[in-house]
Amino acid sequence: MWAQLKKHPAIGQLLARYDQLSARDRQALSVLAIALLLAALYFMVWRPAAQFQEQAAAQHKSARELLAWMQSNQPAIRSLAAGDAFQTNGSTDKPADGRALMALVNRTARESELALQRFEPGGDNSVRLWLDSAPFAEVAAWLEQLFDEYGVVIDQATMDRTDEPGVVSVRLTLTI
């Protein structure tokens, strides 16, 4: 194969020029070629492999944390799956309409020190609301209070985690 490469006109010209260089220049060119080869190996092989490994380790850690959380909250998750969460306690403080629900949500959020970014009526007996960068535990406790004390039910919920642990952005539709 090397013999066939030497027969190629462009390679033959490069080899002829290389042979005409002084010994010191040939040595410098060889060192430069080795340095370029090592740099190419580092940037094309080693660095991407190392970044992939770091990402995989971070995803593994996140999955382990999620599993630990799910295992620690297993009884609550099982009761939700069984439908126990939708059995109200017969509360008499249930809001009468959407306006009362909106006032209740606003008041209890303020009492729970949660800042509603936006809220709007979602129909006759519902309200849509948004919370940004709220502690998950406080949001969960607030929603549990709304359900237990006032019979407010979560119709739709979207929670997105943020970069900060334990902090979520939430979009909810609550109904009576």
Side-chain angles (χ1 to χ4, degrees), residues 2 5-21 26:
W2 179 247
L5 280 176
K6 283 184 175 181
K7 290 179 184 177
H8 194 275
I11 300 293
Q13 286 178 351
L14 286 176
L15 288 175
R17 280 189 171 179
Y18 180 77
D19 289 338
Q20 291 175 357
L21 294 175
R26 279 191 297 230

Side-chain angles (χ1 to χ4, degrees), residues 18-176:
Y18 180 77
D19 289 338
Q20 291 175 357
L21 294 175
S22 67
R24 188 173 184 183
D25 288 343
R26 279 191 297 230
Q27 185 180 15
L29 192 59
S30 296
V31 169
L32 178 64
I34 290 171
L36 287 174
L37 177 67
L38 291 175
L41 285 174
Y42 175 77
F43 286 109
M44 294 172 60
V45 177
W46 182 262
R47 191 172 180 192
Q51 288 174 343
F52 175 77
Q53 190 275 337
E54 288 173 5
Q55 290 173 346
Q59 289 174 345
H60 182 263
K61 180 182 176 191
S62 176
R64 279 192 356 239
E65 290 172 354
L66 178 61
L67 176 63
W69 179 85
M70 289 173 68
Q71 288 173 339
S72 69
N73 291 304
Q74 187 175 13
I77 293 170
R78 287 185 191 262
S79 71
L80 286 173
D84 295 343
F86 295 107
Q87 298 172 1
T88 61
N89 60 2
S91 172
T92 59
D93 296 333
K94 189 171 185 175
D97 59 10
R99 285 186 162 200
L101 175 62
M102 196 179 259
L104 172 73
V105 165
N106 194 16
R107 179 179 54 83
T108 56
R110 198 171 44 249
E111 290 170 358
S112 297
E113 297 180 0
L114 293 171
L116 297 175
Q117 296 301 317
R118 180 176 159 199
F119 60 97
E120 61 188 30
D124 290 339
N125 294 324
S126 67
V127 62
R128 287 189 298 264
L129 56 104
W130 291 259
L131 295 119
D132 288 333
S133 300
F136 174 78
E138 291 179 22
V139 172
W142 174 62
L143 291 171
E144 184 176 10
Q145 173 196 6
L146 284 173
F147 176 75
D148 289 343
E149 295 179 17
Y150 306 103
V152 176
V153 178
I154 300 171
D155 184 39
Q156 293 180 351
T158 302
M159 292 190 181
D160 296 317
R161 67 179 180 182
T162 61
D163 293 335
E164 187 177 340
V167 177
V168 293
S169 292
V170 183
R171 287 186 317 197
L172 295 168
T173 302
L174 304 174
T175 60
I176 49 176

